[in-house]
Amino acid sequence: PSGRKHFIFYNPPIVNKPLNIRRSATLEVRNIAGEFLKNKIQTIVFARSRVRVEIILTYLQELVKNQLQNKSIQGYRGGYLPKQRREIERGLREGSIYGVVSTNALELGVDIGQLQVCVMTGYPGTVASAWQQAGRAGRRHGEAVIVMIASSSPLDQYMIQHPDYFFSRNPETARINPDNLVILVDHLKCASYELPFKQGETFDGVEIEDVLEFLQEERVIHFSGDKWYWMNDSFPAHNISLRSASQENVVIIDQSDVANVKVIGEMDRFSAMTLLHDEAIYLHQGIQYQVEYLDWDEKKAYVREVDVDYFTDANLAVNLKVLEADKERMERTYSIGYGDVMVSAMATIFKKIKFETHENIGSGPISLPEEELHTNAVWLSFEKEQFNESEQRLEQALISVANALQSIAPLMVMCDPSDLHVVPQIKAVHNEQPTIFLYDRYPGGIGLSDKVYEQMNDVLNQTNQLIVNCSCESGCPSCIGMEAQGEYAKSDALVLLQQLQSR
Ligand SMILES: [Zn+2]
């Protein structure tokens, strides 16, 4: 049984008309969730990033500190230790915790009983995710309220203006690429644990002898007679994430108390570059820590508790080059390719952002080595001469179109926006043409950019629609983003898109 659910789609008011900027979704969430919590109504708040979770948690704890006990609102996300997580889950079930602010870590499988209200900070990215988050409220009896609060992002604005899309659309199909080497190796580990592989055997038609020999060298399985046997004590499935193919985490060590240095969490390497660099403010359960030293080789971040009025936000410079093209075709106005790419990412600088006002109050450099990701991408290139304005305006138009594509492409191939990334280049290394890349954000790729390759014309068409239908005058966060400035920003993006659309 499940009780009635009330869905409220809430669009914050516009505070800057010319720029079409709306009041911050984070601050609106604080007010709306805070109202429920002050009345002791059990509420779960979802946010898309770990940093956002901690900021909202800090706001809510501050807001209700006179009415509720300190521990009655908690954060919950990847990176907390298992013991801490179990305590929070129990507190929610027993009702000693009224509020929890979470990433999608609480979407699946974890028993936290039934809550009355679910507040989403922005559209979670997929229909499946949104239903799972909504399902955290009112699971068995009684009515529940689900509030979705839109940010200014194009995807959020699309959803808030088309609630029928959300209610009528089937949840996304799960997508996995079983030939992805990282995934295949993990599958073979689990399979070997169940049953030894025999020489000459295939795995769903795939030749696997090379991989088995690799695992043998890694001393995970061992060869005897004509079979490979599992030879490890551990249960392999435990170490395999269902969400991501990346491994190797950075451990976070709190040294505030010299007599009691302790591990408080962990984080994947790619995220650590922008969240755990030297001087970063790391928020954990609403407590602020400053990173004193990130030991990149040892994968350890040493932090100390601080009390400051800002958080940090780091820039990641991304470079991308084509290693091998598997498919290519010519459309009337552009060429399109698909294949292997190397993405390298480097954290460059960070900004200090003041709480409440969100103003920029300082910055600093980050010195960390480049990280590489070998994956699949689709790329669209065209002749520079197709765009009649200056190179500078072309570059801006490329960035604008890329920003809009970043919202539309995941919607079209039905994946989470963070699974597919867009990179514009004014002069790509492999063909020296203006190019827009879309790449799978997983080692080896999972088939998303391949799907974009098939649907590029539709994707461009929808991207054009998004920008045309936006009510702003010359570009805003809800269509082309804020990088391109000036009166031509929006019209240039449209000119470029119309140039590209082959009929
Ligand atoms: Zn706009």
Side-chain angles (χ1 to χ4, degrees), residues 164-432:
D164 47 314
Y165 175 94
F166 173 69
F167 290 108
S168 64
R169 197 92 179 206
N170 283 324
E172 293 77 4
T173 42
R175 196 182 310 279
I176 191 169
N177 172 10
D179 298 333
N180 174 314
L181 200 56
V182 180
I183 294 170
L184 179 65
V185 169
D186 281 344
H187 269 161
L188 289 180
K189 282 188 196 168
C190 295
S192 316
Y193 177 84
E194 305 279 335
L195 207 64
F197 276 105
K198 218 173 153 179
Q199 221 168 7
E201 247 181 332
T202 58
F203 187 69
D204 193 28
V206 180
E207 304 264 346
I208 51 169
E209 200 132 325
D210 286 353
V211 181
L212 292 174
E213 275 162 16
F214 165 77
L215 289 175
Q216 188 184 340
E217 276 167 33
E218 296 283 302
R219 305 181 61 80
V220 177
I221 54 178
H222 109 109
F223 190 64
S224 166
D226 61 346
K227 282 181 185 160
W228 280 277
Y229 294 88
W230 183 253
M231 62 173 284
N232 205 306
D233 287 339
S234 64
F235 174 53
H238 267 163
N239 298 320
I240 297 165
S241 166
L242 285 177
R243 291 189 175 279
S244 136
S246 56
Q247 297 125 350
E248 245 206 310
N249 287 341
V250 173
V251 175
I252 303 158
I253 300 162
D254 175 17
Q255 48 185 12
S256 308
D257 179 359
V258 193
N260 182 24
V261 173
K262 57 182 190 290
V263 172
I264 54 170
E266 56 181 4
M267 190 184 292
D268 69 273
R269 275 193 318 175
F270 249 82
S271 310
M273 292 170 78
T274 52
L275 297 177
L276 288 176
H277 56 82
D278 292 0
E279 285 187 73
I281 298 298
Y282 171 67
L283 293 157
H284 191 92
Q285 280 297 356
I287 298 169
Q288 300 175 316
Y289 296 88
Q290 186 163 43
V291 179
E292 299 201 311
Y293 175 53
L294 172 59
D295 186 336
W296 193 245
D297 296 330
E298 292 293 319
K299 300 284 172 278
K300 284 178 182 152
Y302 296 94
V303 304
R304 188 181 298 274
E305 226 180 290
V306 288
D307 186 12
V308 292
D309 62 351
Y310 65 90
F311 58 98
T312 51
D313 183 26
N315 273 8
L316 197 66
V318 175
N319 211 333
L320 189 152
K321 63 170 188 265
V322 175
L323 301 177
E324 200 178 324
D326 294 333
K327 293 193 266 190
E328 278 175 298
R329 71 169 193 263
M330 286 298 298
E331 294 282 339
R332 197 172 56 86
T333 48
Y334 61 86
S335 64
I336 179 167
Y338 165 83
D340 281 12
V341 296
M342 181 65 82
V343 182
S344 46
M346 197 155 101
T348 50
I349 58 160
F350 69 95
K351 288 179 287 192
K352 296 178 177 175
I353 308 207
K354 201 167 167 56
F355 280 124
E356 308 284 340
T357 62
H358 291 191
E359 65 188 306
N360 187 347
I361 54 167
S363 64
I366 302 174
S367 41
L368 284 176
E370 212 171 56
E371 280 288 295
E372 289 189 328
L373 172 72
H374 183 170
T375 182
N376 293 333
V378 56
W379 55 90
L380 173 160
S381 304
F382 55 94
E383 301 280 346
K384 202 164 89 181
E385 291 69 30
Q386 279 172 256
F387 189 80
N388 279 327
E389 304 297 341
S390 67
E391 183 155 319
Q392 198 202 348
R393 274 173 67 178
L394 171 60
E395 187 163 14
Q396 301 248 308
L398 262 185
I399 294 170
S400 300
V401 170
N403 283 340
L405 272 172
Q406 179 69 68
S407 312
I408 293 297
L411 202 65
M412 302 281 295
V413 301
M414 299 192 88
C415 69
D416 188 280
S418 62
D419 294 340
L420 193 63
H421 279 212
V422 183
V423 176
Q425 285 180 3
I426 186 81
K427 192 174 178 182
V429 180
H430 72 293
N431 63 10
E432 307 206 325

Side-chain angles (χ1 to χ4, degrees), residues 19-20 466-467 470-480 490:
L19 291 178
N20 203 23
L466 172 84
I467 303 176
C470 188
S471 65
C472 67
E473 280 165 31
S474 53
C476 75
S478 301
C479 57
I480 60 169
K490 186 172 177 176

Side-chain angles (χ1 to χ4, degrees), residues 426-463:
I426 186 81
K427 192 174 178 182
V429 180
H430 72 293
N431 63 10
E432 307 206 325
Q433 286 184 333
T435 299
I436 296 175
F437 295 89
L438 294 95
Y439 70 89
D440 289 20
R441 207 175 117 12
Y442 295 95
I446 51 171
L448 301 169
S449 45
D450 195 14
K451 200 148 186 227
V452 177
Y453 179 86
E454 306 300 333
Q455 305 185 12
M456 188 54 104
N457 269 328
D458 280 348
V459 173
L460 291 175
N461 196 0
Q462 288 296 321
T463 306

